[in-house]
Amino acid sequence: MLQPRIPVNPLPTGHTIPLTQPTPLTDTEPTQTTGPVPVAPARTTVQLTPGSALALAAGGGAVVLVVGTVLVSMLLAVAITGVSVALIAVVLRLVVRDMQKGR
């Protein structure tokens, strides 16, 4: 009851067959189109001069360097934190062992 109905198309025509057939409208009068249909303007192409290509390459290189620097610094921060936690664990283990021996 609550499952969606998906139209099935047995032939690979690219057209989907709706579940309900539309009813034709007979009460409306046909409308006439006046004037030509407007045409969308053509897209402009981007032309790169040697100077703008060089600036684009330099900007891309700068972005790569900044992102690389941030990622390496984050990796370094994680590595330093891991080493310090491991060192604290070793020191605490030695302190607990000395306390258990009664020294």
Side-chain angles (χ1 to χ4, degrees):
M1 180 175 130
L2 297 177
Q3 294 178 352
R5 291 184 170 182
I6 300 172
V8 178
N9 192 1
L11 300 175
T13 59
H15 301 288
T16 57
I17 301 171
L19 291 176
T20 59
Q21 298 295 328
T23 59
L25 299 176
T26 57
D27 296 339
T28 61
E29 296 179 11
T31 59
Q32 291 182 341
T33 58
T34 58
V37 177
V39 179
R43 289 186 163 194
T44 59
T45 59
V46 177
Q47 296 180 358
L48 291 177
T49 61
S52 62
L54 184 63
L56 186 63
V63 167
V64 167
L65 287 176
V66 168
V67 170
T69 303
V70 168
L71 291 177
V72 167
S73 63
M74 289 172 62
L75 180 63
L76 186 61
V78 169
I80 290 172
T81 303
V83 168
S84 62
V85 167
L87 187 63
I88 290 172
V90 169
V91 170
L92 283 176
R93 184 176 171 193
L94 291 174
V95 168
V96 168
R97 184 181 289 171
D98 287 344
M99 288 174 59
Q100 286 178 350
K101 286 185 179 180
R103 292 184 179 177

